[in-house]
Amino acid sequence: MKLPFQLDRYTLVHRIGVGAFGQVYRAEVRGDMGFVSDFAVKVLEANVVADTPNVARALADEARILSQLDHPNIVKVVDFKHIEHPLLGDVYFMVMECVRGTDVGTLLRRLVARQRSVPATAVLHMGLMISDALAHAHALQNRDGETVCIVHRDLKPQNLMVNFRGQVKVLDFGIAKATDDDRLAQRTQEGQTKGTVFYMSPEQLAGDPLDGRSDIYSLGTILYELLMGTRLLDVEVNTAAELVRAMHTAFELDIESRLDALRSHLEANHNGALSQEAIGGWIGLLRAPLQKDRSYRPDSAASFSQQ
């Protein structure tokens, strides 16, 4: 579509992202006396909806999940619409708060290109914000007071936005899973894996049932990458065969050798001057969530925040 484009009361002015099922735009809503408010609008492609009707229901589920989450470090959903557009036909779109900033993946790439590392203090603050957001999602209760148990399942640097005030926002709960069967139209079949292999927990790679400890593992891999500048699972995945090899490598990953490399990196002051006590604290902090057996990880994101 040619921009600007009017969609209901939202004026799409700039494309900010492209996904498998649609596109995300920065949109404006104008009111009286010069009032302008910005939003992010995720629009499903009409041909995708026609070919795969369940995609629209999945977006509605995503909107319903996110609308229940009220946390400063989670992108807020403010609207969900289905309209009959004279040119586009059936249009489904979700309206979210617009985060002005950049995603953590882009931030990391820029720093690595300049041979710079993220200061350890910044990583600590980012980790606290993300783990607090996860704790809120994991503990969410429905109107009957029952815990919904939302698991993000696709936590990665690209799904973490940093705004211009340094605040981290978790986004894209599009493949999130709630244990309440009424929450999601597209069920996760046993043995099916979704998400990004570099940040998946071992149990997610195996297709096992998940709980919040899977997200904690993913967060541990992100914190490691923020400090080290390289992924914990540092392999190339461009083909199906490489994906299979990457999954095998993930199961065989020697966490202690990775932590030894991180210790050397921290001792070289790449992330700022740290005492031996602080370095030991970082190693212990990351060892806990990166355990392959989830029973040895922190039992909740709230307890990980406290650590």
Side-chain angles (χ1 to χ4, degrees):
M1 66 180 74
K2 185 178 180 180
L3 301 178
F5 188 88
Q6 195 66 36
L7 196 59
D8 198 53
R9 68 191 188 103
Y10 303 97
T11 304
L12 311 185
V13 295
H14 175 65
R15 191 175 71 180
I16 56 178
V18 179
F21 303 118
Q23 305 189 50
V24 182
Y25 299 88
R26 183 176 69 82
E28 296 177 346
V29 171
R30 294 184 175 271
D32 295 333
M33 303 178 69
F35 174 86
V36 181
S37 187
D38 288 338
F39 297 93
V41 178
K42 180 185 287 189
V43 184
L44 288 183
E45 298 283 3
N47 61 324
V48 172
V49 174
D51 294 339
T52 317
N54 280 343
V55 169
R57 181 61 182 171
L59 185 66
D61 286 331
E62 179 184 355
R64 189 178 305 111
I65 288 171
L66 286 174
S67 68
Q68 297 174 74
L69 299 174
D70 186 12
H71 191 278
N73 300 114
I74 297 177
V75 172
K76 184 68 177 174
V77 164
V78 296
D79 202 359
F80 177 78
K81 291 279 189 179
H82 169 218
I83 65 172
E84 292 285 342
H85 193 276
L87 295 178
L88 301 180
D90 258 345
V91 179
Y92 295 85
F93 62 95
M94 179 173 67
V95 183
M96 303 165 285
E97 67 170 301
C98 186
V99 181
R100 293 186 176 277
T102 187
D103 69 86
V104 171
T106 299
L107 185 66
L108 267 170
R109 286 196 301 273
R110 291 173 180 172
L111 287 171
V112 170
R114 299 174 186 174
Q115 297 184 322
R116 296 176 61 188
S117 299
V118 184
T121 51
V123 178
L124 181 64
H125 286 298
M126 293 169 72
L128 280 169
M129 287 185 275
I130 299 164
S131 58
D132 284 348
L134 292 175
H136 174 75
H138 295 166
L140 183 70
Q141 294 183 339
N142 60 23
R143 292 180 178 86
D144 298 324
E146 300 168 335
T147 302
V148 180
C149 296
I150 293 173
V151 182
H152 189 289
R153 300 197 308 141
D154 195 25
L155 201 65
K156 58 186 177 183
Q158 293 77 13
N159 281 340
L160 301 171
M161 293 290 295
V162 182
N163 66 20
F164 294 136
R165 298 189 302 277
Q167 185 181 32
V168 180
K169 298 268 190 176
V170 181
L171 68 154
D172 202 356
F173 277 75
I175 64 167
K177 181 181 178 182
T179 55
D180 183 342
D181 285 343
D182 292 333
R183 295 298 177 196
L184 298 179
Q186 288 186 306
R187 307 290 173 237
T188 301
Q189 296 178 356
E190 188 172 353
Q192 181 183 15
T193 57
K194 295 182 178 182
T196 306
V197 64
F198 305 117
Y199 308 99
M200 283 183 178
S201 65
E203 62 268 25
Q204 186 174 6
L205 287 169
D208 294 337
L210 304 181
D211 58 27
R213 291 171 294 180
S214 179
D215 285 343
I216 294 172
Y217 181 94
S218 299
L219 176 54
T221 68
I222 293 169
L223 296 179
Y224 178 94
E225 185 174 346
L226 283 168
L227 290 168
M228 192 72 179
T230 57
R231 291 190 298 254
L232 182 74
L233 182 62
D234 197 18
V235 295
E236 290 295 325
V237 177
N238 298 307
T239 66
E242 288 178 342
L243 175 60
V244 172
R245 283 196 295 270
M247 293 174 69
H248 177 74
T249 302
F251 284 117
E252 300 298 324
L253 197 63
D254 185 348
I255 297 299
E256 289 303 320
S257 68
R258 298 297 198 277
L259 291 176
D260 287 342
L262 177 60
R263 184 187 293 275
S264 298
H265 186 82
L266 294 173
E267 288 175 342
N269 295 331
H270 290 297
N271 305 92
L274 298 173
S275 66
Q276 283 298 317
E277 183 182 6
I279 292 171
W282 271 111
I283 300 303
L285 182 71
L286 292 183
R287 179 179 286 115
L290 294 177
Q291 294 298 307
K292 294 178 184 177
D293 184 342
R294 58 183 164 187
S295 65
Y296 292 106
R297 295 179 210 149
D299 58 4
S300 69
S303 64
F304 186 53
S305 290
Q306 292 171 358
Q307 291 175 21

